[in-house]
């Protein structure tokens, strides 16, 4: 008998004006010790199917199934006691965002111990001891301290480890991981995936990995279920799905992993479209010292030099907190810089008054990550796209509307969308509108701040394709900000890697991938999930100290620059700069 | 924490001084005085003598400093409207009924409101949820003198269950306590319902369910504790607002409480009593907010324990 048996599962949600079918006739099984991946985009029903297995759906959900069994228990008929057995002991779950998955007012230790005590007769003391052991098993070094930490005192990666420890606390037979790494940085993602595989083997559990990311699938599972719009498209061994996909949707998913790169045309002009010279941002932080306040500077971005050549795409890549978004916002003058210059086509705009800046605003536009909050919900799409024309007084109202309509065409939306509102669109469609609004003024510089990171894989590939097409048509110079090296691979001409507020490496895209020099760049590349299960491997991860210690050391002869006690950016090949110590 | 309390106490002292100056100036900025010709037809010489006796002929700043010097020694002067006792004696006499009735109103009303709000949140869109909404709306919108009148009409006049008014017999307390409780019940029902619903929609509640905790434990330990944070902070200010008496409730039920003096002290230009009442209210609110902040920090680790690993 299988551990998980689902046959003809149907879930619909009651809503105003009828029911919405989320899952339509899904069947699958999971055996003991097996790893099953469920891949699909948002709304495909992958999370809902697993939530139904633990009866975690809201009361508005209507669930029916021929068979819905977990560890021999009929889930639909489970009483109170059965539910306690199902949840935590038969199956444990880990969730997408570790920052919101813990109760903020209790310590980590309390929350793990209470799980143990909910399932077993265990004294508070024993439960706490066991919680500490579990934390150690998920490779948290200062486990005894972490027991007494509150969730807000830990980073996302540490919290996800603690969440895994909590899931393990009742020795579940199957671990359900619902997008466990989507909210994390790439390097942390790789560590968490490796940890999940490790504990799965140690505890002999089955694994259900729910994700939208084929890379995560390739890294972690034996068998794959591809879901689309509430139905199973195909299922099979992971290698077979990657090598000989049957269904069109699966093929589309796989194609998004292997987009081809074509360099942009560039320009003869030597003047960069956008140049940042010594741009820095420091925040004053107030600290309490007894009765008085003390002010400390926090350097979010340290004196950055960066050039965006005309008609080129440059990526800024780095983890959260690396200063990449701050840099982009400073370049747009949406955040005030503490010092440094911003040159647009050779003109310094860093000290211009708002009025003097206005004509420059026409030439530099921005696209944000969250298209939902970036579009005014009270305006129609035509109004949204035409608004920049109105602000800058371009053309008559009639012409403005006409231009907006033609831009709907250009970004691949039907003209009939003109009178719709943002909430009627999907995430990908909204991002298309945001791109149209940014480009309607025909700017020369576009800053795209993680424009695809909130999107599903296939949609992401479409948006990248659209940006690339428009860039070539308009001769745009684009600064593409991303946390993920694999996203930029098919799009950008060169890559700037930021780490802790500094640029640590900068090189043409192919060189970054083929010959990375800085240990942090290498760590980033190492963490990118594989694109085929054949290539999966065990990885070593560097701590921040190790990265610092492995900073390249070069001599004055090699670099031709003066020695310095601190690392500095030095050129090691045309267009390739790396942060290194220079000694005699 | 100690540093925080000390800093706040310093700011309480500043607030107190600032408020006392503002009130003193406003009090004297109103035209007229306690011995105006139409209220008290006495000769010019007598009036001048009375003014001199009470120190009212002195420059304002001298009057202010004199009064505040007294305050520092707990001497709030003698009320003009009742010269047989000191302000302090008047306050301690009149405050008792207000404190008992208003205080009991909040102490009974707040838990009732919390229970009602919880029941509403746990049974969303059921009859009890609608009842809670109705109670909250009625309690907050119908003025307290209307509620009081209705209570007297129904329970004292029609049903003849309870006496309509008076003091000090405890059976006469019931109706005014109900009148006082209306606002705490309504406020707490509303706050509790929305705080609990807000908490229950947060992802960690799904996690708690998924790890096999019982529904009771989830509600009573996790949801309630998270929802309590906004509830605790409104309690003390509400208590002070109600336990200093309402002129309407006290007038309706003929209670010899503090409420009436808030109005009469201003009407009759009773400077010492007016000042004392205002300073007392200011001081109590300052302390109430200080205590609320401390309790808030105690139940919210994000404030109590600093950030970062």
């Amino acid at each position: 008998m299988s551990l998980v048996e689902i046959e003809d599962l149907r879930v619909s949600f009651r809503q105003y004006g009828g029911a919405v079918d989320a899952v339509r006739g899904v069947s699958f099984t999971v055996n003991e010790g097996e790893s099953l991946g469920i891949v699909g985009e948002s709304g495909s029903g992958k999370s809902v199917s697993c939530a139904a297995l633990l009866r975690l759906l809201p009361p508005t959900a209507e669930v029916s199934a021929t068979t819905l069994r977990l560890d021999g228990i009929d889930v639909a008929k489970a009483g109170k006691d059965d539910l306690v057995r199902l949840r935590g002991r038969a199956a444990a779950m880990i969730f997408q965002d570790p920052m919101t998955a813990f109760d903020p007012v209790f310590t980590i230790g309390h929350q793990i111990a209470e799980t143990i005590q909910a399932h077993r007769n265990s004294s508070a003391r024993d439960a706490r001891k066991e919680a500490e052991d579990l934390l150690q098993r998920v490779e948290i070094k200062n486990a005894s301290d972490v027991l007494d930490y509150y969730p807000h005192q830990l980073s996302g990666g540490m919290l996800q480890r603690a969440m895994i420890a909590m899931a393990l606390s009742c020795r579940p037979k199957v671990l359900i991981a619902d997008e466990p790494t989507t909210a994390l940085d790439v390097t942390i993602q790789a560590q968490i995936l490796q940890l999940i595989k490790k504990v799965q083997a140690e505890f002999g559990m089955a694994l259900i990995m729910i994700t939208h990311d084929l890379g995560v699938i390739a890294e972690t599972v034996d068998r794959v279920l591809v879901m689309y719009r509430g139905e199973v498209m195909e299922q099979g061994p992971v290698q077979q799905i990657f090598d000989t996909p049957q269904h069109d949707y699966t093929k589309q998913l796989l194609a998004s992993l292997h987009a081809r790169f074509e360099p942009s045309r560039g320009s003869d002009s030597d003047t960069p479209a956008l140049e940042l010279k010594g741009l820095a941002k420091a925040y004053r932080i107030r600290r309490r010292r007894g009765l008085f306040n003390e002010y400390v500077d926090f350097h979010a971005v340290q004196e950055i030099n960066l050039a965006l050549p005309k008609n080129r795409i440059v990526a800024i890549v780095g983890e959260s907190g690396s200063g990449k978004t701050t840099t982009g916002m400073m370049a747009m003058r949406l955040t005030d810089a503490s010092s440094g210059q911003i040159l647009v086509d050779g003109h310094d705009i860093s000290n211009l008054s708002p009025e003097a800046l206005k004509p420059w605003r026409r030439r530099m536009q921005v696209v944000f990550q969250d298209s939902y909050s970036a579009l005014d919900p009270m305006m129609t799409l035509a109004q949204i796209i035409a608004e920049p024309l109105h602000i800058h007084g371009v053309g008559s109202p009639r012409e403005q509307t006409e231009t907006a309509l033609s831009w709907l065409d250009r970004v691949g939306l039907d003209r009939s969308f003109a009178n719709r509102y943002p909430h009627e669109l999907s995430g990908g469609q909204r991002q298309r509108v945001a791109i149209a609004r940014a480009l309607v003024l025909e700017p020369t510089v576009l800053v795209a701040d993680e424009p695809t990171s909130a999107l599903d894989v296939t949609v992401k590939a479409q948006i990248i394709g659209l940006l690339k097409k428009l860039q070539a048509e308009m001769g745009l110079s684009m600064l593409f900000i991303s946390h993920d090296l694999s996203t930029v691979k098919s799009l950008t001409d060169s890559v700037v890697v930021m780490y802790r507020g500094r640029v640590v490496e900068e090189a043409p895209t192919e060189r970054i991938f083929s010959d990375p020099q800085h240990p942090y760049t290498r760590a980033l590349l190492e963490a990118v999930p594989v694109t085929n299960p054949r290539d999966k491997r065990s990885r070593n991860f560097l701590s921040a100290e190790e990265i610092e210690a492995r900073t390249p050391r070069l001599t004055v002869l090699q670099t031709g620059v003066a020695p310095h006690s601190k690392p500095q950016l030095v050129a090691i090949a045309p267009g390739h700069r790396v942060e290194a110590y220079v000694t005699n | 924490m100690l540093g925080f309390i000390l800093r706040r106490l310093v700011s309480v002292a500043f607030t107190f001084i600032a408020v006392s100056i503002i009130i003193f100036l406003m009090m004297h900025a109103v035209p007229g005085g306690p011995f105006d010709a139409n209220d008290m037809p006495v000769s010019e010489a007598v009036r001048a003598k009375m003014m001199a006796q009470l120190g009212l002929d002195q420059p304002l700043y001298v009057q202010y400093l004199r009064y505040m010097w007294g305050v520092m020694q707990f001497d709030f002067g003698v009320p003009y409207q009742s010269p047989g006792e000191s302000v302090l004696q008047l306050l301690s006499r009149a405050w008792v009924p207000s404190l008992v009735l208003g205080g009991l109103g909040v102490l009974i009303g707040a838990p009732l409101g919390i229970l009602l709000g919880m029941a509403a949140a746990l049974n969303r869109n059921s009859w009890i949820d609608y009842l809670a909404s109705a109670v909250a709306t009625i309690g907050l919108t119908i003025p307290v003198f209307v509620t009081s009148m209705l209570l007297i009409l129904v329970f004292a006049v029609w049903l003849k269950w309870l006496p309509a008014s008076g003091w000090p017999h405890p059976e006469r307390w019931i109706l005014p306590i109900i009148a006082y409780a209306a606002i705490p019940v309504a406020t707490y029902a509303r706050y509790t319902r929305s705080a609990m619903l807000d908490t229950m929609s947060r992802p960690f509640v799904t996690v708690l369910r998924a790890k096999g905790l019982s529904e009771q434990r989830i509600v009573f330990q996790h949801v309630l504790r998270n929802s309590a944070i906004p509830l605790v902070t409104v309690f003390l200010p509400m208590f002070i607002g109600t336990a200093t008496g309402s002129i309407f409730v006290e007038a309706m039920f003929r209670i010899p409480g503090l409420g009436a003096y808030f109005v009469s002290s201003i009407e009759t230009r009773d400077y010492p009593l007016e000042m004392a009442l205002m300073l007392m209210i200011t001081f109590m609110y300052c302390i109430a907010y200080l205590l609320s902040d401390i309790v808030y920090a105690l139940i919210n680790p994000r404030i109590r324990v600093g950030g970062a690993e």
Side-chain angles (χ1 to χ4, degrees), chain A residues 154-352:
Chain A
L154 293 170
S155 67
M158 287 288 268
L159 279 176
Q160 198 60 297
R161 281 172 194 275
M163 180 56 64
I164 294 171
M166 191 156 83
L168 295 176
S169 63
C170 295
R171 308 288 184 268
K173 293 185 178 165
V174 54
L175 181 66
I176 302 173
D178 189 356
E179 303 265 12
T181 57
T182 310
L184 304 174
D185 278 319
V186 190
T187 45
I188 309 296
Q189 155 166 306
Q191 295 175 21
I192 295 294
L193 291 180
Q194 191 159 313
L195 176 69
I196 289 176
K197 289 305 289 175
K198 192 192 98 173
V199 298
Q200 189 202 354
E202 277 179 18
F203 286 74
M205 296 177 293
L207 172 70
I208 301 180
M209 175 66 77
I210 303 170
T211 179
H212 69 278
D213 187 346
L214 274 175
V216 171
I217 291 287
E219 293 276 351
T220 51
V221 303
D222 315 324
R223 204 156 58 80
V224 185
L225 201 70
V226 182
M227 282 188 74
Y228 184 66
R229 296 199 171 174
E231 290 174 62
V232 176
M233 293 289 110
E234 65 179 302
Q235 54 178 314
V238 64
Q239 196 63 57
Q240 184 189 316
I241 295 283
F242 274 79
D243 291 344
T244 52
Q246 298 300 311
H247 205 277
D248 281 347
Y249 178 68
T250 320
K251 287 177 189 161
Q252 232 182 319
L253 271 181
L254 284 163
S256 62
L257 282 180
H258 304 284
R260 268 184 313 123
F261 169 70
E262 280 164 40
S264 51
R265 281 194 302 274
S267 152
D268 300 333
S269 165
D270 286 337
T271 320
L274 174 70
E275 192 174 7
L276 311 179
K277 282 188 175 170
L279 205 59
K281 178 76 189 176
Y283 290 98
R284 304 217 82 181
I285 296 181
R286 197 168 66 163
R287 254 193 229 161
R288 286 267 150 81
R289 264 192 95 166
L291 278 178
F292 303 98
N293 293 323
E294 179 187 58
Y295 290 90
V296 194
D297 280 347
F298 169 71
H299 296 274
V301 175
Q302 300 174 19
E303 304 211 348
I304 268 199
N305 296 300
L306 191 154
L308 171 62
K310 285 189 177 135
N311 199 359
R312 291 281 188 205
I313 311 178
V314 172
I316 301 184
V317 171
E319 63 198 13
S320 46
S322 62
K324 57 186 192 304
T325 295
T326 310
T327 305
M329 294 304 108
M330 285 195 293
M332 290 282 101
R333 283 217 41 198
L334 293 173
T335 297
D336 284 327
S338 308
S339 61
Q341 290 179 305
I342 305 155
L343 305 178
V344 176
D345 204 8
H347 300 274
D348 186 0
I349 63 155
S350 49
N351 291 312
L352 294 182

Side-chain angles (χ1 to χ4, degrees), chain A residues 56 80 84 87-88 95 100-106 110-111 114-115 118-119 150 152-153 155 166 288 290-291, chain B residues 3 7 202-204 207-213 216-217 221-222 225-226 299 301-302 304-306 308-309:
Chain A
L56 290 175
K80 227 175 178 181
V84 176
R87 297 170 171 173
F95 294 85
T100 58
F102 281 100
D103 184 339
V105 305
F106 291 100
H110 175 96
Q111 296 189 51
E114 102 183 317
T115 317
H119 293 277
Y150 286 92
H152 73 276
Q153 295 172 285
S155 67
M166 191 156 83
R288 286 267 150 81
L291 278 178
Chain B
R7 261 195 317 275
R202 287 174 44 199
F204 75 79
V207 176
L208 294 172
R209 277 201 192 105
K211 67 187 197 181
L213 293 198
Q216 290 93 310
R217 195 181 162 96
Q221 191 163 15
H222 291 272
R225 175 109 181 238
N226 274 277
I299 56 177
R302 276 161 296 189
R304 174 171 30 127
V305 188
E309 292 144 73

Side-chain angles (χ1 to χ4, degrees), chain B residues 10 52 55 58 70 76 95 98 101-102 105 132 146-147 173 202 204 214 221 251 304:
Chain B
V10 172
Q58 305 279 328
F76 292 85
W95 198 7
S98 302
L101 297 182
V146 177
T147 332
W173 297 358
R202 287 174 44 199
F204 75 79
S214 67
Q221 191 163 15
R304 174 171 30 127

